[in-house]
Structures are given as structure tokens and as C-alpha cells.
Amino acid sequence: MEEEILKIKKEAVQQITAATAAELESLHIKFLGRKSLLAQLTARLRELPPAQKPLIGRLINETKRTIEQMLEEKSGALAKAEGEEFDLTLPALPQACGSLHPLTLVAEEIEEVFKNLGFVVAEGDEIEDEDHNFSALNIPLEHPSRDMFDTFYLEEGLHKKETQGRLLLRSHTSPAQIRVMRNLRPPLAVLVPGRVYRPDAVDATHSFMFHQIEGFAVDRDLRFSDLKGVLINFARKLFTAETQLRFRPSFFPFTEPSAEVDISCIICKGKGCTVCKGNGWLEVLGCGMIHPRVLQACGIDSKKWQGYAFGMGVERIAMLKFGIDDIRLFYNNHKKFLEQFNAF
Ligand code: FA5
Ligand code: MG
């Protein structure tokens, strides 16, 4: 009898394993029903010698329990599989494909223009110290940009004027000039893209974090006309041959003479809008001839070498390039906005 029971169990295992949902019910009747083989064996227990009865009885009960459990598990597994069943003939879901951010696209395009002129690309540090961000750039201690209202400082002791080494989030990319010029000897032509930080009030053209690209060259006999030449070439390459540049005399402690450069507003074609604040021009960069004191602070003989430098706002240029009328659109990660740059 023991053998018969094991045979039934083996058969049950095979059939339940291979069963479909529809077959489970009949297998339940076949193995556990009133007319099942196990039920018949139970009826024959009487015929057994008394010593064997409890043993075989227990084996039958255990087998019933095992089969019952297997049927339950199988039915659960089949129900779950049905829920996950999918139609292979359905068309695939479209995959959303990312693309480069408009600021990255514009920065790369600007880099390309200057690389073609022989500039190399370097990287500066976003956390700077006062020496690189200000002092070595000839920005005196009393200059308003060093005020804590105009710069994000990272450490305590903001009012100790005698310390030179407070840490800060760089407020422009110009400290990279110092880092490069203290490490490499001229002739140099270098481009440094990166993020900068200022506690500016946010509006359509200002953000507290934005991107600049610093560019500078140091060589013998460099003149302001060389600077004008590379900037006009840059504007014509990035925009159109008709793009107007306006050089406004300005002041930076680290350049002399200095200028700020405006580009004719491409958004309103000079008619006046929120981007150009109604005057038809948008300031995109500051520039000038590197101040002799800056060269000297880097151990470069200012009698032998001259340099020019410029620092452009990447957001402003991207706004003009793509006709974007609010700088905040670059940062809020709206898919509808970003998707428009897939084609570029
Ligand atoms: C500077 O930062 C100088 N370091 C530029 C420079 C470099 C001058 C080398 C001479 C030689 P300025 O603060 O003007 O200058 O900023 C440069 C450009 O950054 C501006 O023309 C503008 O395009 C952009 N910019 C300035 N502030 C913001 C802001 N809050 N949000 C977005 N763009 C800004
Ligand atoms: Mg300015």
C-alpha cells in the first residue's frame, strides 16, 4: 500500500506542475475527491494488520495535505502569471530620449568657435578663496562686490577685513585667469566655462546661479583691436553676419581699458522687450586688456607681455540664440521647454 501511495503522490506532482488553470479543478477531484484513489485506500485501511494501520493512515493524510498545498500554490502562481501576461503584438511604448540642455548646447558651440582660433579649454574651481576671486584680480578690499551682500561666503568671520583667505562661491570665472597664469607661461589662449554664484535678485535676465565663459590670451603685442576681432568673429559665428555688437566703455579692476559688450536684441529685433528691457540691446559680456597688476600677481612680466580677457554670460547668449524671454526657464526642468532642443 505504501508503494501505491507514493505512486499517487508522484503522479499528482507531475500533473499539477504541468496543469493549466482550467485543469486544476478536475485534478482536485481526481486526487482528493470522494472517489479518488486515496479515498479508496483509506477505505481499505480496515483490511490491514493493526500494527500497520496508524503508519499507513498517517502517510495517506500527509499525502493529501501535500497535494492540497500543491494545488493551492499552483492556482496562486497561475493567477499571478495571468495578471502579468502581456500582448507581444502590441506596438512598443515610445522611449523618451533625453538631449543636451540648451545651456550645454550653446556653451559647446561657443567653445567650438574659440577652439578654432587656437584657444584651449580649462576648468576652474567653483569654491574659491578671496585671493583668487578678488585680490589677485586687483579688486581692492573696499570694493562693493566683496561685500557679503554681493558674494556667497562659505565661512564664518565675514567682517575680518584683514583675512585674505575666506572661502566663497566664485562670483565670476575670472579667478580661473589667476589659476592658469600662475601655472602656465605665455603665450596663452584659454577658455574657462563654468557656474558662478551671486546673491542677485532674480528676474527675467538675472539668476543667483548662472554660467560664464571666461576667455583670455596673453602674448607679445596684443591689442584691444585683437580683442574686438575675436569677439566680433564670435558674434557673427554664433548668430548672423548682420549681428550688431556695441562696445560700451566700462570699468573692471582687472582690465584697463575695459568695456561691456551688448548684442542687438534678436528677440524683438531691437524694438524693445522684457529681455532687452526696452532698449534693443542685451549686455552679454565684460572685457578689456588684462591689467598689468594682474599679470604681475601671476609672475608674468607686464613689460614683455600683454593680455586681453572677456567673461560672457552663457544664459544671455542662449536667450538671444533661441529666442527665450525668461532666464528661469533654463532651471525649472519643464519637459515641454527642454524637448524643444531635441533637434539641435
Ligand atoms: C564679470 O563678471 C567680469 N568677470 C567679466 C570680465 C571678464 C570682464 C574678463 C573683463 C575681463 P559682469 O559682472 O558684468 O562681469 O558679468 C559678466 C556677464 O555675466 C554679464 O555681461 C551678463 O551677461 C552675465 N551676468 C551677470 N550677472 C548675471 C546674473 N545675475 N544672471 C545671469 N547672467 C548674469
Ligand atoms: Mg556687467
Side-chain angles (χ1 to χ4, degrees), residues 246 262 265 268 270-273 275-283:
R246 184 167 78 171
D262 305 333
C265 186
C268 63
K271 278 190 232 97
C273 64
V275 172
C276 60
K277 307 236 152 63
N279 66 30
W281 298 91
L282 183 63
E283 182 198 316

Side-chain angles (χ1 to χ4, degrees), residues 137 171-175 177 196 198 200-201 203 205-216 252 254-255 258-261 282-290 308-317 327 331:
L137 286 165
S171 57
H172 53 169
T173 42
S174 299
Q177 287 184 38
V196 302
R198 287 181 198 177
D200 281 357
D203 64 20
T205 54
H206 291 82
S207 168
F208 50 86
M209 183 285 298
F210 58 100
H211 297 74
Q212 286 189 340
I213 294 182
E214 191 83 6
F216 63 97
F252 295 102
F254 36 98
T255 48
S258 305
E260 284 188 303
V261 175
L282 183 63
E283 182 198 316
V284 294
L285 64 91
C287 64
M289 299 306 289
I290 299 177
Y308 62 72
F310 54 84
M312 50 178 83
V314 179
E315 278 79 352
R316 302 272 182 92
I317 292 162
I327 198 169
Y331 316 117

Side-chain angles (χ1 to χ4, degrees), residues 110-293:
I110 296 169
E111 285 172 29
E112 206 50 43
V113 170
F114 285 98
K115 275 190 203 160
N116 285 335
L117 295 178
F119 282 71
V120 294
V121 177
E123 229 179 293
D125 295 0
E126 283 180 39
I127 293 177
E128 267 298 1
D129 57 43
E130 283 189 284
D131 179 45
H132 289 87
N133 201 79
F134 299 123
S135 309
L137 286 165
N138 194 36
I139 303 177
L141 281 174
E142 64 278 7
H143 194 276
S145 69
R146 295 182 74 139
D147 198 281
M148 61 178 290
F149 295 107
D150 288 293
T151 298
F152 290 113
Y153 286 92
L154 297 181
E155 283 190 339
E156 301 287 39
L158 300 183
H159 302 292
K160 283 191 210 142
K161 288 266 154 132
E162 69 278 9
T163 55
Q164 296 281 309
R166 285 184 295 174
L167 291 178
L168 47 84
L169 294 177
R170 68 172 171 197
S171 57
H172 53 169
T173 42
S174 299
Q177 287 184 38
I178 306 300
R179 295 210 171 262
V180 172
M181 288 195 287
R182 280 184 178 164
N183 283 302
L184 299 174
R185 297 295 91 189
L188 293 169
V190 182
L191 212 61
V192 187
R195 288 190 192 91
V196 302
Y197 304 83
R198 287 181 198 177
D200 281 357
V202 175
D203 64 20
T205 54
H206 291 82
S207 168
F208 50 86
M209 183 285 298
F210 58 100
H211 297 74
Q212 286 189 340
I213 294 182
E214 191 83 6
F216 63 97
V218 183
D219 210 331
R220 296 181 201 273
D221 300 325
L222 275 186
R223 299 155 189 234
F224 200 91
S225 53
D226 295 307
L227 170 62
K228 273 185 101 168
V230 295
L231 291 177
I232 291 169
N233 169 70
F234 147 75
R236 303 231 160 119
K237 286 266 160 59
L238 214 73
F239 300 103
T240 62
E242 290 78 52
T243 308
Q244 296 289 308
L245 284 195
R246 184 167 78 171
F247 286 77
R248 266 186 295 113
S250 185
F251 174 76
F252 295 102
F254 36 98
T255 48
E256 182 62 31
S258 305
E260 284 188 303
V261 175
D262 305 333
I263 290 188
S264 50
C265 186
I266 286 146
I267 293 174
C268 63
K269 308 263 177 329
K271 278 190 232 97
C273 64
T274 54
V275 172
C276 60
K277 307 236 152 63
N279 66 30
W281 298 91
L282 183 63
E283 182 198 316
V284 294
L285 64 91
C287 64
M289 299 306 289
I290 299 177
H291 198 290
R293 279 200 209 145

